[in-house]
Amino acid sequence: MNTTSLPSVLEVTQLLQAWHAGDRAALEQLIPLVNAELHRLAGGYMRRQAPDHVLQATALVNEAWLKLIDWQAVTWQNRAHFFGVAAQLMRRILVDEARRQHAQKHGGNALRVSMSEVEMLAQRKSHDLLALDDALQALAEFDERRSRIVELRFFGGLSVEETAEVLGSSPRTVAREWRLAQAWLYRELSQQ
Amino acid sequence: MNNNRWREVERIFDETLEQPELDRAAFMAQACAGDDTLRHEVESLLAAHQQAGGFLVASAAKLSSVNYGTTAMSARQRIGPYQLLREIAQGGMGVVWLAERADDQYRQQVAIKLIKAGASNADIAHRLRHERQILADLNHPNIARLLDGGTTESGQPYLVMEYIEGVPIDAYCQQQQLTLRARLQLFRQVCAAVQYAHQHLIIHRDLKPANILVTADGAPKLLDFGIAKLLQPNLADSHHTQSGLHPMTPAYASPEQMRGESLTTASDVYSLGVVLYELLTGRSPYQLTTNTFGELSRAICEQDPIKPSIAVTQSHSSNEERLPSSLRTPHSAFRTLKGDLDSIVLMALRKEPRARYSSVEQFSEDIQRYLDGLPTLARKGTLAYRAVKYVRRYKVPVAAAALILLSLLGGIGATARQAQIARAEQAKAEVQRLRAEQALAVADQQRRRAEQALAEVKAERTRTEDALTTAEERRKQAEVARNEADQQRTEAESQKAFADEQRARAEQGEETKRQFLYAAQMKLAQQAWESSNIERMQELLDAQLPQPGQRDLRGFEWYYFWRLAHSDLVTIKHEGAVNSIVVTPDGAKMASQTSDGGIRIWDTATGKELPRIHDGETNATCLTISPDGQFFAQGKANGKIKIYSVSNGAPLATLEASQQVITAIAFAPDGKLLAASTFDGMVGVWAVPTWQRQALFKVSPNSINTIVFAPDSKQLITSGTAGTDTTQVWNPHNGQRLRSMSQIEKAAYKMAFIPGSNNLVTGDTDGPIRIWDFATGRLLTQMKTTWASGGLICSPDGRIIASGHFEQVVRLWDARTGALLTEVKGHSGPLMALAFTPDGKGLFTGSQDRTLKFRNVQKASEAREIANNGILSVVFSRDGHRLISTNYSQEVRLHDLTTGMALQRLKGHQQKPLAAGDTTMMMKVAVSLAGKYFATAGYDGTVRTWDEETGKPLQVFSGHTGGLYALAISPDGQHIASGGSDLTMKIWDTTSGRELHTLSGHRRRIRGAAFAPHEKILVTCSEDGTIKIWDYLKGVEIATTKPYTSGIYDLAFSPDGRWLALGGNDRYIILLDTTTWRTVKTLKGHAQIVYAIKFSPDGKRLASASRDSTTRLWELEQGQEVLSLRRQGDSPMMDLAFSPDGTSLAAVTMKGELFVWPVITQQEISAYSGAQNRPLRANQSDDAVRSLLAVQPLSTSSAALPDIPDQKIYGWVKGPNGDSLRDLMNLYAMRLDSSVSLSHKTSALIIGKKEETKGFCTIMQGVRADHFRGRRVRFSGYLKSLGISRPAGLWMGVDGEGYMLKYSNTFKPASIEWVKYEMVLDVPEDSLNIVFGFLLQGEGHLWGDDFRLEIVDADVPVTDISGIRERNQAEFLRLPEQERLRLERGYKERAKTLPLKPVNMDFV
């Protein structure tokens, strides 16, 4: 394996820190690195797994994270903080993936599906995910905080408590704010 | 939304939700008072909140995937007291880690399975707690133990299991090269472990080699027992479709598992069966082509596994190293597995859980029995199983079946009651069966106990001699107990057998209902067809597709209807109603138009769509094409006409006629003028291709419906909704009126000239289509029909008129006689457009249903006419490719089934005037299935035999004193029976050529005779109403019976000899059981005399021909009529014949017509469903579907034939046939020691045998000439020779290294041009096949991409090669005359001694 082409752990970690410190360009650099890792992982899996094993994008994203980041080197405030950062990245990757799948429209090179994953196949959801992303952007325009809550909870998979922790707020407030964000998004998406 | 506004919304939203529910509405109304927008906003958000529920609550990751993020583990991490070491595997259920106990108490390696987080971790964790103990109790040396389990800190469930170091059983067997015996013994150990678990009420559910590891010391260890259940507790008891995890491996899953049904231990038996299958054969039980899940699932649920003994030989070479050493040669493998092992494995793999081994133990014991050389249960069970399988359970809901029956058959109460009784019986049988099974279980248990006691006693005896007496006593007791248990078991078994029988009977009741339902639905399908409701018909057909486990009830009628429903070769969907269709004069392109979708164009050869022409407007009303195929003229609703280039779609001109809708456009036949008519009565004429306007004149104040140029291009006819003079003739150049066709009273809606004549066809809104002599205005023919609103066109050959109608049909008329030829159905909306292909064989139709359909005109009809001149009787040749008919002239004809052409006329029988007392003349014909001959029985009283291949007369038998009406050939072909007016039957011996016996006894004319298929008896029937059964070898009568009240006209044995069917003047058909000769069934339905009856080759249907003008088909199990066929213009049906493969039914009418009703075959259905981009040419093949199949590789039965690349082979021929063959042989004998055959029916392929001395051979290969008739073609590539076979004979040209140029007996081609690797010639119109020869050297490739056969357009310049031709000819002529004669003589001589080896040919 050609290791020089892989992003170094340090590189990724530094970018993450830079991004965290407010350097938005760092995210733009991070995405291709993470994606490259994803593809590498995917290739490895495809060789090892039974031919009709389907890889789940998010599983890979998570795994990619774990492999890419030197946990020790990053001074995370706490676990929730890490996921706060990860949530944004996750959203980007998932939405990009959904957009790609949506464009392909279940093209000919779709992976074969084994029985256990039929229901889980993300493809079906690609459309919904794109719509959600759009709606989230619209929400962010007049209520960035709520958009962020949804991002943390939905894309980052954080609980109300964890979200509160990331935002430095109380769980009660987050729950209340989430309530309206959820209703607003629901209305937006169900009108489509 | 601005921020402040949103804050407001937010505030009221939150505050409202703080209120008690009842007060919220009031609170909000007050809070938003005076601001409706705000109120509406909050209101809708509150509503959304109410509905949102869990929206977005589950994270994206959880929704779309497995969440590794929160649960992924890494080495050195700890789970409970265990330290993870390394990842061992990833599977469907999760990740498996190798771990060891981290407390230093003791070191033990374990496997930790981290369960993938599914829908609910909590659920799994809960179940885990609950079931862990049960699993932990599984304590068996061959089962990996479950040690522990729990949830990680992050809530992920895990299981700790004994860590097994081993290899999967299949890999182990291969690595260790285990013998068959060792494999079976190892497998039995696996069985023992599974049985142990079953006794503890635990089913594995996911048995597969990967879960059966064998350790270094050779002990099998089963992993993951009960895990599947743990993860999916509802699998067994839920009827809901399971989503998410299905912990099973499809390749090893049982049918019930695939269907998600509840599982029993039988499912593990099945999986073990698959494992054993693989250990024995090295492959899986099903032959899969694509390996997709769907296919696998279908195979598991429906397909019978391939017998291991067969499977092992099929893939032997690739599998060899996986097989036991004793199975290393295909022969030994086959011999070893055949019989007991086949039966054992297949018994474990049966689809019905109940039909498998009742326990793993039984399975294992049967293997032991095999090892001990004892008879196995499986082998015994196979026969019984097959019988039971025959009456398999099926799933049509009883209620639905009953309902439909009820409405159809009227037997309301009876049917419902029957269903109820059947259900009750079934339930009762079920209870009894359960009871019996329980008793059986108890008996088994007692027996086991007794056996255990026995074993104990034995042990004791060896331990001490002292206890002998006591032990002996106990042994006796035990034996008594065992005997008792055995007795109980026997009793229980007989109870079970009884219950099973009752159950089978109940099931049979349902089967009967299904059959009734089937017959009823076929009748409905026929009604749907007659009312051209194709969708309904298709629904009814689809409803009869057998479900998994159901018996397939479909027969001839189903495939016949399917063909009718799909008489379109291609259907192309459009976005709107298809209002015009045009075809280029060379047939290469077809274009269609919808009003808003522009012009769509297809390449007809490939079926591919070309770029469409669309100007963005949505007002196209009509479309036509110039006679030279260069221009499209498109009429618009705004009075404009757009001209486009056909070749590149470029817009060339826009013409304007008025402001009103263009109603019709026409090009003059000479291509120099274009005319268009409008809704406001204008006609415009333009010059082509300058598009200068020549004239614009007002024809009428009202709309012009249709315009057409006369064949001379000098007159333009218009017709429209004016008062008196509706139809007028104009000079197109100046708009001067030439005359009025006042005899055409009604305004024509559509008009067309019949090509090649001066006859004008008109159709008006009142219906009739009329043909006029245009010059005189005389009415020639009138066809009564409905308004041809959807077009009126003539085929290019001028023979057929097609009219499209509002009622969704196209009618085809004979242009000379005005007779209705056929109705073409299939559209579900009114017809709008029609077009023929230039050869007149293909018809495009467009409809308001937004489809364009393409059909082969011939194939679209219900029946195909083969002949219509005095035919009396018909049979198919043995290969099914030809029909043999007899006629009033006492002549025999051979017809090619595909082309309908009469191939040969055989004379021999004398014509005789009708004798006094005879009302009809007859001449029967029969084909010998064994003897390669056919026989005819003439009105002249003689029987003649003929060579089936060549038609050569063989024998003549005379002796009868009256006309013959009955004829039959014995199954072995040795004897012929004939009889008729002289009231005697004569038996002829074809070996000696003499009469064997004369049988007398019938009192009136003998009408039919039949030999029994398996016994040496002959049955005859007569107008005296009796049948007589004869021992024809001894010449004695065995019995006479009179099952019919009046004259019997025909009789037939079913292929299995079980039934004798007869019919006649009583109008019904009866079936006799041939063991008792009693009537078992009566088939009623015909309204008049039944003249002929025939069984279908598979014995499932009976066809009958009657004077009532119908041919009917009956299914035989319930005796229901399933199809009634009629001929256009009713005529009594006289004779019938099924093709040997059952795919065609031929019939003869009293008018002397001979025609065939074909069906579609299963393969053709598959090809139809699978094909895309089908060519839009009817002449692609007579049967376009078949042409798709024709590219499939074909095999040959002769080993001596060389290997030929198969992608272009169209088929092997069957022959020989007549002079054409001999000519071919003459030519080739010179160079080859060849075996040659040729047939009219097939694409000819002629094979030459490898020549010994020179080491090369010439391969001749052919294609049907259909593509090329009347065309100039160019062949390029290394061709040795080229031939064209025609009805008149064969023309052959050979380049033969340049010394021989032409050879022909009857035909010299008008144009032929040769160079060595390229030749051009015109293919005659009546060509059958084009045959070309290739030189094949050694193992060389025959033809590759460098071979081409192409149609050359007349106006495309062809290399001038005439010089070369002359040179070649001169060279040949320069050969010494002696040499030329010697060559010719040489091959003529050798031709005589050539062996003719007909090779059986069939597509696919």
Side-chain angles (χ1 to χ4, degrees), chain A residues 69-88:
Chain A
I69 296 159
D70 184 350
W71 287 67
Q72 263 67 42
V74 187
T75 47
W76 304 104
Q77 288 170 5
N78 49 41
R79 185 174 150 275
H81 176 209
F82 164 72
F83 282 108
V85 175
Q88 278 184 49

Side-chain angles (χ1 to χ4, degrees), chain B residues 1231 1278-1280 1294-1302 1314-1316 1364-1375:
Chain B
R1231 302 185 66 86
Y1278 196 156
L1279 271 189
K1280 282 289 290 176
V1294 181
D1295 86 346
E1297 322 279 311
Y1299 62 76
M1300 172 121 185
L1301 194 70
K1302 282 186 201 168
W1314 291 89
V1315 289
K1316 205 153 187 177
I1364 300 169
R1365 179 185 61 180
E1366 271 154 33
R1367 201 163 57 241
N1368 282 352
Q1369 194 165 25
E1371 265 175 42
F1372 176 64
L1373 293 174
R1374 267 203 300 278
L1375 284 174

Side-chain angles (χ1 to χ4, degrees), chain B residues 1288-1352:
Chain B
L1290 179 109
W1291 168 84
M1292 196 81 209
V1294 181
D1295 86 346
E1297 322 279 311
Y1299 62 76
M1300 172 121 185
L1301 194 70
K1302 282 186 201 168
Y1303 183 96
S1304 169
N1305 58 347
T1306 55
F1307 156 74
K1308 286 187 196 297
S1311 150
I1312 170 83
E1313 301 176 85
W1314 291 89
V1315 289
K1316 205 153 187 177
Y1317 298 110
E1318 186 171 293
M1319 48 201 95
V1320 174
L1321 87 161
D1322 292 328
V1323 180
E1325 277 291 355
D1326 59 351
S1327 303
L1328 295 173
N1329 299 303
I1330 299 176
V1331 186
F1332 11 92
F1334 304 85
L1335 192 68
L1336 180 65
Q1337 277 171 308
E1339 302 293 313
H1341 217 60
L1342 174 60
W1343 62 13
D1345 294 331
D1346 52 347
F1347 171 77
R1348 292 166 74 86
L1349 176 84
E1350 13 174 21
I1351 296 172
V1352 184

